[in-house]
């Protein structure tokens, strides 16, 4: 069946990969671009990549099926152009059998703000890929594995039916390439990348970015989706931009800038031809990668432990938050919150926390962030200093010269924790950028959306980012819930206490428990029974009866979210009246504390 | 290729007289190369039994056939410059059509015959001509030409509403009138609407779409023959070029796919970048170093075939290119980006490269919204000229044939909505069914922002705002445009979901803008002049108000806006224009925008004891420009609370599907509004006018009883607008009494909320129009008089203590006198120049 694209073998091959990759073992056997340096990976082999779609380029047309002419044999051979960048020698452009097909390119970057513990844990399970120089032990084990072997050779087999002897020579060539690269390429990729802006959303990010070529259903992907892509790696240097390609008159119409961005050196930005991509609901390596509903055993075991883990976590947070148990409760609720639905413009489930009254001494906020960083899969610390606000690029902006979306710090994956440190803000003048940045942060908090700047117009991208604001007084940004930190520590001992907080890092098993707890709690389903609905409604009416001013519709909105999060944090998937009253009690404690510290700066309450 | 071009300007009639050269030329341009991208689609036509050379016949060739008993292969494989009709009719030069691509050589037969003769020949030879087509297509030049001429001569579109046809007699053949226009104006471009071609001859349309590269030159020939036959004496700069537009092939950039390659497409988008002008060589001029013999070589697919041997002196490699004697044409790269409306959510917009040629260069500027008609091209990319490997990717671009700016219409003020939203039959049917329901008004208003609870009247008001009134033009009678847009102000306690309502509206309407009073300056609202970094020219950047022309501008935190910024709104909210005089640019922009504003009370909590003006501290001049002012207060009763609680809980815990069942889809609502705004223009009926008059008289009467004016013409205008909008909701072309009733009710509701005098409990319009209720004014007057008397009774004291005076007045008066009241009275007296207040002392002036 070598009659080109129509015969259906392509679909079968892709199906084959999908089926095998669904098995858990097979997944882990595929080497990952995230962990393994690029020069250790064999070109044209199957790799995986955990990434965020940062930009979508224009669709491109390529030769899906083409014919080559061998000048010696005068033989014409039909070849498949899918899953590769470059055609083989002697393409007959006049052939009538050429089929032009369409594919889409995504520019993907590693998940922004992914914390080191996530990287460490995922790379422990990493596969050392087979290369020509790798220790023989590993190589054998890899080749002995039937499953894996089968997969890897599959495309070659398919190609063989088309290309005949060509495949083998090319295969050797590929290995040779790899060997050469290994000797040449410095192990630190980022050093050589410095001249090229790889467009990471957050400053100081490392890791390979990737041009992912998508062959089907690209409309299903959205910007900022987090995916695990399985595909064929291609590091063919001819796809890179080089000044010599300017010789072609047709190319000169594109700016050099645009070429540089769209065809970066393949050694830095490899091409990945996607066979299969799995959207990741989370990037916590401790959890099974599939949805929770498929893992009932795992779910029931974690659920039973949740209450006890919660108590430990609460104690830990209370300690960290200067002995304030109430603030610790709210911090837990915040960390498991997520936007679970949207009703017209209203995002439901968001729970932005403003932690006011943070001590400025001993860089307390930074320490607090470091603790959060240890617990959530991805996070970002944004000191709101005047300089940062005036200079940082928060909102992604389209660069029409290079024809790409220049990323900004607010281009984040779902459920990333954004820690805004307002204690760093001093008096001074915000310039235009500063005002825009503050507005963008406000929009992010209120509507969970970021308006990307497309120069002639703005485009709204919904997001799902957990924002926590640490401030001294009430924050200038809006928030869903403000809690004033009440230190139980005497001011005299503050410095001592603070430096001690971080002296006792938790055991890693303990930390792993917390990490798992926070991620699981966020994934749980939640419902509310009719009876409880009724009693909640009655409660609201009663509260309003006593004092209409005491609880507004907005307060009720918040109470419902708090009740939801409180239930989930206890591992209960439906609201009970107990939890409802506990939620009310929590909120009451919080508001009464607010009364004491009533701020009188004229801001809207 | 050298011989036809050996004589300068020789691309005319002499081709067929030189039979030997064309035959040798034939193989140099294998058509297969040209038609590569299309092979799959035309495959069924390919297996013609004859070779490409003999495939080619056209009427003229057919004529040859009739003269000579058999076609002579040596004569037939002629090449014709497909980019322009070869015939140089009456000395008018042909101009190369770079827009039809770099390949201009197609095996084709010369059109030698006189137009009249050709017509006859086509008729007689039509049977033979049917089978003879251009290589790789099913286009027969003769038939095609004839059909197009027939189209030009006969096509009539009595219902045309396009601007282009303004001033033409719609019952006469449209394009003949256009030709006449060309003969008068001398601009040799004929724009042809593809829809017209389609309705006239579907087959011709299909050919035009599939083989534009061949069909358009044929059209050119046809139109020139016709034109010069009709207007033999007219002088044109060059021959007429046909520019088809509005091809229905593709509307959206996202749906371009490999099947569209080499076809005529129309896409809409926004220009984001234009390049410098690129001179593209069309014809290279070579001169021999030895004997100074010169020759011209046409550029073929971007390559110049440099002659190796001088044909005059036979020296090899002696010819040198002379740049300034070569012929160039203009070319410009234009980048187009998908318009935001066409995009699925969560994806980034696509871009496409467009090449504009000759006079289309510089027709568009970055930021313009355009519809582009052109030929979609794909060119393979060579990685490196020295490498045989190629990247398996094609570069795609569009060769533009026609640009049409979609927002051009804004220049003419009278036009209806610029958006020409297309509705399918089904959709229109659904919308009409919906409109026929008796409770459509309630349905739509409850579909608006379902997450916000109750506030039914406010939602109804906003609904009417979304539809807007009918635009009227009274410029002839000196009044100018009447505002059709309804302006609404929401005020009330913080946390009553005002912002949410604004966000919803902003997301609903296609041309909505959302700004916050805190964050926007006058400049951000209006327009500013900036220097374009690329071209260094001054560009007018428009702000939110201008951008939301024909849309709604949502302004949050209206009260936080600086006075300076707010003053801009005065002009916009009544005259609907914006005047700019800045950096040498003086202009008036249209800002026919409805304003939806939200304001918080000054004291953070609404004070029911104060009037609206006192609560929000906005100038009454601005307030009176709002048609409806609503208070969003927290009503405090148990039944309401219960419903609210239920609403909120279900909002949080109902599943997505349940919600959708209950409410109308946002998309339906959006279409409904767009349809009504575009197609429905209600006019007042006799009864409705009567009802309006009555309503207005009633309103004035209410006040006159208490000695105050309670309605102004502005209120009448508001009523008319609201009634019209309500008629639009019903899809009714006539404003009827029920519309007026609802307008009255809503207006009254809004007044009841916002213009109730807290002292008397009466609705008092003067609170909004003058900033003070009539009773308050009366009271102020009284106090001032009492104070004056008091001071006069004190005798000749030039100065008094403020506190003392206040206490004296309090002691004297039977009603309580607040400090504010006292201050006001003092101010009133100061205005009379009776006294002056300095610090804590009051001095008499008289």
């Amino acid at each position: 069946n070598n009659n080109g694209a129509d015969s259906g073998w392509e679909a079968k091959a892709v199906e084959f990969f999908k089926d095998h990759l669904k098995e858990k073992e097979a997944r882990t056997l595929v080497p990952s671009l995230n962990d393994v340096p690029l020069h250790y990976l064999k070109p044209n082999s199957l790799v995986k990549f955990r990434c965020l779609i940062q930009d979508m380029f224009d669709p491109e047309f390529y030769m899906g099926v083409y014919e080559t002419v061998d000048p010696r044999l005068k033989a014409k051979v039909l070849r498949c152009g899918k899953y590769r960048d470059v055609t083989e020698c002697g393409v007959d452009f006049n052939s009538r059998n050429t089929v032009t097909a369409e594919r889409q390119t995504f520019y993907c970057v590693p998940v922004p703000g992914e914390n080191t513990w996530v990287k460490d844990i995922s790379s422990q399970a990493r596969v050392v890929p087979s290369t020509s120089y790798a220790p023989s032990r590993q190589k054998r084990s890899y080749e002995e594995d039937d499953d894996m072997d089968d997969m890897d050779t599959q495309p070659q087999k398919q190609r063989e039916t088309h290309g005949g002897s060509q495949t083998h020579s090319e295969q050797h060539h590929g290995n040779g390439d790899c060997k050469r690269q290994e000797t040449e390429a410095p192990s630190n990729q980022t050093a050589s990348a410095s001249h090229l802006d790889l467009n990471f959303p957050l400053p100081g990010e490392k890791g390979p970015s990737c041009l992912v070529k998508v062959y089907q259903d690209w409309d299903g992907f959205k910007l900022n989706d987090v995916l695990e892509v399985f595909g064929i790696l291609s590091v063919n240097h001819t796809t890179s931009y080089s000044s010599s390609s300017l010789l072609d008159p047709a190319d000169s119409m594109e700016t050099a800038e645009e070429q540089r961005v769209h065809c970066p050196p393949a050694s830095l930005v490899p091409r990945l031809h996607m066979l299969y991509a799995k959207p990741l609901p989370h990037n916590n390596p401790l959890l099974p990668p599939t949805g929770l509903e498929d893992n009932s055993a795992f779910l029931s075991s974690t659920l039973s432990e949740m209450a006890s883990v919660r108590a430990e976590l609460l104690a830990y947070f209370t300690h960290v938050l200067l002995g304030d148990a109430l603030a610790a409760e709210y911090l837990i609720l915040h960390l498991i919150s997520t936007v679970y639905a949207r009703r017209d413009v209203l995002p439901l489930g968001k729970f932005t926390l403003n932690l006011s009254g943070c001590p400025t001494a001993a860089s307390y906020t930074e320490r607090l962030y470091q603790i959060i960083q240890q617990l959530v899969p991805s996070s970002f610390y944004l000191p709101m200093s005047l300089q940062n606000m005036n200079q940082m690029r928060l909102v992604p902006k389209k660069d029409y010269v290079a024809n790409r979306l220049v990323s900004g710090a607010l281009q984040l994956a779902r459920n990333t924790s954004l820690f805004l440190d307002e204690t760093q803000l001093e008096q001074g003048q915000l310039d235009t950028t500063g005002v825009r940045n503050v507005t963008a942060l406000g929009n992010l908090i209120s509507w969970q959306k970021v308006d990307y700047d497309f120069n002639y117009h703005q485009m709204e991208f919904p997001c799902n980012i957990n924002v926590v604001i640490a401030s001294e007084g009430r924050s200038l940004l809006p928030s869903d819930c403000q809690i004033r930190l009440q230190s139980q520590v005497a001011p005299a001992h503050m410095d001592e206490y603070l430096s001690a907080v971080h002296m006792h890092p938790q055991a890693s098993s303990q930390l792993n428990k917390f990490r798992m707890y926070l991620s699981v709690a966020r994934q749980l389903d939640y419902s509310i029974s009719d009876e409880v609905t009724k009693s909640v409604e009655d409660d609201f009416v009663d509260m309003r009866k006593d004092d209409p001013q005491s609880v507004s519709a907005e307060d009720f909105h918040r109470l419902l979210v708090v009740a939801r999060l409180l239930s989930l944090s206890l591992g209960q998937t439906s609201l009970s009246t107990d939890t409802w009253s506990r939620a009310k009690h929590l909120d009451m404690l919080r508001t009464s504390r607010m009364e004491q510290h009533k701020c009188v700066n004229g801001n809207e309450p | 290729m050298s011989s036809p071009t050996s004589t300068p300007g020789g691309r005319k009639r002499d081709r067929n007289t030189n039979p030997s050269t064309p035959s040798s030329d034939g193989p140099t341009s294998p058509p297969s190369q040209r038609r590569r991208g299309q092979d799959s689609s035309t495959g069924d036509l390919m297996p013609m039994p004859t070779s490409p050379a003999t495939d080619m016949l056209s009427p003229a060739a057919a004529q040859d056939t009739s003269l000579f008993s058999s076609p002579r292969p040596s004569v037939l494989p002629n090449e014709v410059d497909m980019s322009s009709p070869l015939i140089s009719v009456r000395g008018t030069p042909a101009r190369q059509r770079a827009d039809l691509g770099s390949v201009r050589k197609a095996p084709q037969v010369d059109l030698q015959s006189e137009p009249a003769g050709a017509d006859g020949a086509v008729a007689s030879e039509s049977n033979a001509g049917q089978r003879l087509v251009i290589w790789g297509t099913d286009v027969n030049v003769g038939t095609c030409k004839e059909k197009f001429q027939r189209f030009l001569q006969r096509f009539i579109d009595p219902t045309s509403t396009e601007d282009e046809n303004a001033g033409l007699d719609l019952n006469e053949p449209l394009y003949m009138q256009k030709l006449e226009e060309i003969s008068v104006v001398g601009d040799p471009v004929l724009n042809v609407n593809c829809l017209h071609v389609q309705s006239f001859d579907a087959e011709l349309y299909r050919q035009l779409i599939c083989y534009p590269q061949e069909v358009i030159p044929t059209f050119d020939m046809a139109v020139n023959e016709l034109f010069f036959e009709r207007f033999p004496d007219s002088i044109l700069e060059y021959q007429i070029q046909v520019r088809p537009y509005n091809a229905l092939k593709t509307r959206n950039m996202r749906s371009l796919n490999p099947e569209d390659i080499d076809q005529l497409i129309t896409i809409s988008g926004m220009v984001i970048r234009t390049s410098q002008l690129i001179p593209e060589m069309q014809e290279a001029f070579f001169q021999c170093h030895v004997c100074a013999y010169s020759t011209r070589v046409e550029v073929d697919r971007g390559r110049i075939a440099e002659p190796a041997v001088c044909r005059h002196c036979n020296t090899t490699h002696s010819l040198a290119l002379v740049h300034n004697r070569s012929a160039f044409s203009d070319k410009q790269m234009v980048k187009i980006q998908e318009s935001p409306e066409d995009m699925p959510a969560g994806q980034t917009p696509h871009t496409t490269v467009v090449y504009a040629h000759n006079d289309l260069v510089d027709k568009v500027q970055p930021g313009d919204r355009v519809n582009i008609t052109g030929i979609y091209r794909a060119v393979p990319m060579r990685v490196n000229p020295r490498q045989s490997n190629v990247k398996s990717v094609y570069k795609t671009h569009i060769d533009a044939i026609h640009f049409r700016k979609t927002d051009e219409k804004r220049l003419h003020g009278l036009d209806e909505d610029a958006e020409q939203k297309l509705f399918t039959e089904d959709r229109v049917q659904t919308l009409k069914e919906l409109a026929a329901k008796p409770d459509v008004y309630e349905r739509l208003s409850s579909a608006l922002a379902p997450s916000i609870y109750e506030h039914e009247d406010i939602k109804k008001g906003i609904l009417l705002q979304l539809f807007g009134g009918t635009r009227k033009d009274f410029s002839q009678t000196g009044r100018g445009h009447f505002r059709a847009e309804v302006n609404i102000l929401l005020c009330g306690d913080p946390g009553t979901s005002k912002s949410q309502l604004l966000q919803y509206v902003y997301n609903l309407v296609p041309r909505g803008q959302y700004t916050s009073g805190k964050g926007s300056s006058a400049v951000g609202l209006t327009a500013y002049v900036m220097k374009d970094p690329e071209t260094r020219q001054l560009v007018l950047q428009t702000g939110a108000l201008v951008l939301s022309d024909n849309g709604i501008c949502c302004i949050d935190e209206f009260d936080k806006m600086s006075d300076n910024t707010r003053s801009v709104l005065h002009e916009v909210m009544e005259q609907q224009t914006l005047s700019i005089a800045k950096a040498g640019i003086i202009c008036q922009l249209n800002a026919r925008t409805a304003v939806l504003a939200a304001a918080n009370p000054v004291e953070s909590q609404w004070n029911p004891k104060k009037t609206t003006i006192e609560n929000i501290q906005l100038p009454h001049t601005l307030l009176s420009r709002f048609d409806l002012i609503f208070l969003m207060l927290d009503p405090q009763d148990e039944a309401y609370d219960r419903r609210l609680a239920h609403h909120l809980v279900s909002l949080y815990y109902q599943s997505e599907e349940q919600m959708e069942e209950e409410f109308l889809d946002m998309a339906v609502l959006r279409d409904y509004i767009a349809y009504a705004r575009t197609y429905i223009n209600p006019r007042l009926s006799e009864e409705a006018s009567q009802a309006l008059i009555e309503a207005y008289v009633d309103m004035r009467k209410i006040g006159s009883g208490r000695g105050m004016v309670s309605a102004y013409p502005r209120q009448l205008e508001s009523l008319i607008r609201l009634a019209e909008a309500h008629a639009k909701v019903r899809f009714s072309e006539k404003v009827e009494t029920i519309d007026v009733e609802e307008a009255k009710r809503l207006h009254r509701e809004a007044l009841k909320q916002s213009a109730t005098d807290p002292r008397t409990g009466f609705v008092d319009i003067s609170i909004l129009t003058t900033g003070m209720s009539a009773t308050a004014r009366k009271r102020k007057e009284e106090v001032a008089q009492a104070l004056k008397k008091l001071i006069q009774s004190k005798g000749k004291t030039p100065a008094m203590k403020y506190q003392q005076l206040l206490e004296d007045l309090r002691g004297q008066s039977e009603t309580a006198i607040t400090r504010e009241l006292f201050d006001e009275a003092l101010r009133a007296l100061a205005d009379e120049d009776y006294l002056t207040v300095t610090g804590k002392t009051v001095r008499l002036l008289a």
Side-chain angles (χ1 to χ4, degrees), chain A residues 58 61 221 223 258 343 538, chain B residues 335 346-347 351 394 642:
Chain A
D58 294 329
F61 292 173
F221 296 102
L223 203 72
E258 189 167 345
R343 293 270 182 267
D538 289 344
Chain B
K335 267 248 161 103
Q347 306 217 342
T351 56
Y394 297 106
R642 185 165 293 280

Side-chain angles (χ1 to χ4, degrees), chain B residues 332-372:
Chain B
Q332 186 182 33
M333 189 192 81
V334 179
K335 267 248 161 103
I336 307 285
Q337 184 184 272
E338 217 171 352
S339 27
E341 299 90 58
D342 291 343
M343 294 187 31
Q347 306 217 342
T348 59
H350 287 176
T351 56
T352 306
V353 177
V354 174
Y355 288 119
H357 301 272
N358 294 326
D359 56 330
L360 289 182
V361 166
D362 273 343
K363 270 277 162 69
V364 290
Q365 296 289 325
D368 286 349
R369 301 231 176 168
V370 289
N371 277 329
I372 290 179

Side-chain angles (χ1 to χ4, degrees), chain A residues 399-418:
Chain A
D399 175 359
Y400 283 115
V401 177
N403 195 14
R404 71 164 170 183
L405 188 65
V406 179
S407 195
L410 293 188
Q411 191 176 19
L412 296 173
R414 53 178 292 163
N415 292 331
T416 305
S417 281
L418 178 63

Side-chain angles (χ1 to χ4, degrees), chain B residues 281 283-286 304 320-328:
Chain B
M281 193 180 280
E283 205 173 46
F285 185 90
F286 285 95
I304 307 164
L321 183 69
V322 182
H323 266 279
N324 47 11
R325 292 189 64 184
S326 303
F328 291 90

Side-chain angles (χ1 to χ4, degrees), chain A residues 334 337-339 341-342 345-355 382 384 389 394-395 410 412 416-422 436-451 460-471 474-482 554 558 561, chain B residues 499-500 503 514 652:
Chain A
H334 164 75
S337 69
T338 182
V339 177
R342 283 172 193 269
V345 289
L346 188 74
L348 300 181
K350 71 183 173 93
F351 195 65
T352 305
L353 190 65
N354 176 13
L355 210 56
L382 178 63
M384 284 178 66
M389 292 320 285
L394 291 185
V395 175
L410 293 188
L412 296 173
T416 305
S417 281
L418 178 63
F419 192 98
L420 299 177
D421 189 353
E422 209 184 274
R436 234 176 257 153
N437 279 342
V438 173
T439 319
L441 285 175
N443 273 340
L444 169 73
I445 292 165
S446 311
W447 311 109
Q448 285 288 335
K449 64 164 192 185
V450 180
D451 288 319
E460 193 179 295
F461 284 88
C463 57
N464 186 356
I465 298 171
N466 293 15
V467 187
V468 58
I469 311 157
S471 59
R474 205 182 99 84
S475 168
L476 64 92
L477 294 168
S479 61
D480 295 312
C481 169
Q482 185 202 349
E554 205 170 320
R558 186 181 52 244
V561 179
Chain B
S499 308
Q500 209 181 314
Q503 277 280 339
Y514 184 93
Y652 272 80

